[in-house]
Amino acid sequence: MANNNLFEKINFNSDCRNVAEYILNKFPVFDLERAMKLAKYLILEKNYSKMAILTGEADEFLAKRSDMQLIINNSVQSPNEKANEVKLRTKKEKVSKKDIQAFAGIMATLILATSILGIAYTDRMNEALVKSTSQKIDVLASEVPIKNDMIYNRSELTADRIINICIDNPELFDVLIYDSYYKLNTHRLDSFNEIWNILQTRLSNDDSFEPIYSKISNKSFLSYVLNILMINNKVEQNSKEYQKYVELISEFAKNPTYDAISKENRVVLKEMLQKYQDLGLALYKESNKTIVNAVNEEMGGRK
């Protein structure tokens, strides 16, 4: 048995080395250490086979990581770089009343156009911030050490990554929960309920996590979501809306699977989780700076 484990480790490390060499050749922005970590992440968490990676199936994922690495590498201003100075014009010139009226008309048109374009621009910026922050969380997650002699299922791996990131940054717990939940593609509620149960068990066994555990102690995942909505003034306690959510949570507690939820309460669940999803932008914005700093520390970047 011991020999089998040894051979498995040797084969695993050999596969990772082959994948890392492929990554280095195709995406030279990475160094060997980073390429090895990405190789382990793709094989252990993303469930790619070595052959799948070597035939390009993970190239889209790696290309995004490569772009992010370039952004991080170029995000620090050169010490010798100088800001361009623009001199102000100080000479006054006479302006006719006709020109002023024409200018006012142009400005009115511009203001209207800007207000419309500004909304679209803000939406795009918000979308970019959410995507960028979520990708950086992926970077942090991929840096969490994995013990090769332990067998993880996906739920255990997700729970461990949340816990390990929270060791240094406990304030990221809420955004990590949100990000992890919405990265699930199928059977989201049932899958995350399993992750939630693992988190409760593991966090309860370590006193150093008391500030985090107090958020989830004796709470189901849906209870936690309702609490987050109340904290962020999305739901008022004792309102009819609140009462509907409490009844949903009570039903779910009796048989915690999505299929067991009544048709009426599935509508309530969708409504409550839509409020939770809408909260995402605020969570990403609040956490962005901490996440960027954590990524820079992990990847050796400068703040």
Side-chain angles (χ1 to χ4, degrees), residues 142-294:
S142 70
E143 300 296 334
V144 172
I146 301 171
K147 297 179 181 178
N148 295 337
D149 57 347
M150 291 184 68
I151 299 174
Y152 281 81
N153 65 35
R154 185 173 293 275
S155 296
E156 290 173 321
L157 192 59
T158 300
D160 264 12
R161 291 190 185 283
I162 291 171
I163 290 170
N164 276 283
I165 293 172
C166 285
I167 290 173
D168 293 323
N169 299 285
E171 69 274 28
L172 294 181
F173 181 78
D174 290 332
V175 74
L176 292 173
I177 293 296
Y178 179 94
D179 190 76
S180 300
Y181 181 78
Y182 283 104
K183 278 196 170 94
L184 295 172
N185 295 319
T186 58
H187 306 292
R188 190 174 278 159
L189 181 60
D190 292 341
S191 297
F192 200 82
N193 203 46
E194 182 180 353
I195 295 168
W196 189 258
N197 291 336
I198 295 169
L199 282 170
Q200 286 192 316
T201 300
R202 295 188 181 173
L203 290 173
S204 67
N205 293 327
D206 191 333
D207 291 341
S208 64
F209 285 113
E210 175 55 31
I212 297 176
Y213 182 62
S214 62
K215 289 186 173 188
I216 67 174
S217 177
N218 300 317
K219 286 189 180 76
S220 67
F221 171 63
L222 292 182
S223 295
Y224 161 83
V225 169
L226 178 55
N227 191 55
I228 288 290
L229 292 176
M230 291 169 61
I231 290 172
N232 287 276
N233 300 315
K234 301 298 182 182
V235 177
E236 292 184 9
Q237 191 170 9
N238 300 324
S239 64
K240 290 182 179 179
E241 190 178 41
Y242 172 84
Q243 190 57 43
K244 284 194 306 181
Y245 297 159
V246 169
E247 289 171 5
L248 159 68
I249 292 166
S250 177
E251 181 189 39
F252 186 73
K254 295 173 184 175
N255 190 351
T257 62
Y258 178 80
D259 288 341
I261 300 174
S262 65
K263 186 179 293 185
E264 294 77 12
N265 270 335
R266 287 186 187 183
V267 175
V268 176
L269 173 66
K270 184 177 180 180
E271 177 188 311
M272 186 173 80
L273 289 179
Q274 183 60 57
K275 288 182 180 292
Y276 183 50
Q277 187 171 17
D278 292 344
L279 192 61
L281 177 61
L283 292 174
Y284 285 122
K285 278 186 174 180
E286 289 170 6
S287 308
N288 181 261
K289 185 175 180 179
T290 301
I291 292 168
V292 169
N293 288 341

Side-chain angles (χ1 to χ4, degrees), residues 7-21:
F7 285 132
E8 287 177 5
K9 287 183 180 179
I10 292 172
N11 289 335
F12 174 78
N13 287 331
S14 175
D15 287 348
C16 287
R17 172 66 67 167
N18 291 338
V19 170
E21 290 173 355

Side-chain angles (χ1 to χ4, degrees), residues 65-130:
R65 288 295 175 88
S66 176
D67 291 343
M68 188 183 304
Q69 184 68 56
L70 282 171
I71 291 170
I72 291 171
N73 290 348
N74 297 325
S75 63
V76 181
Q77 188 181 45
S78 169
N80 297 321
E81 187 176 346
K82 293 182 179 179
N84 292 326
E85 294 183 2
V86 179
K87 293 184 178 181
L88 298 176
R89 292 178 60 189
T90 57
K91 184 180 178 181
K92 295 182 180 180
E93 297 178 3
K94 291 184 179 181
V95 182
S96 70
K97 185 177 180 180
K98 184 177 178 181
D99 287 341
I100 292 173
Q101 290 174 339
F103 179 74
I106 293 170
M107 286 303 297
T109 304
L110 285 174
I111 289 169
L112 177 60
T114 302
S115 65
I116 296 170
L117 293 173
I119 294 170
Y121 176 77
T122 300
D123 287 344
R124 288 198 301 273
M125 290 299 292
N126 288 339
E127 184 181 342
L129 181 139
V130 167

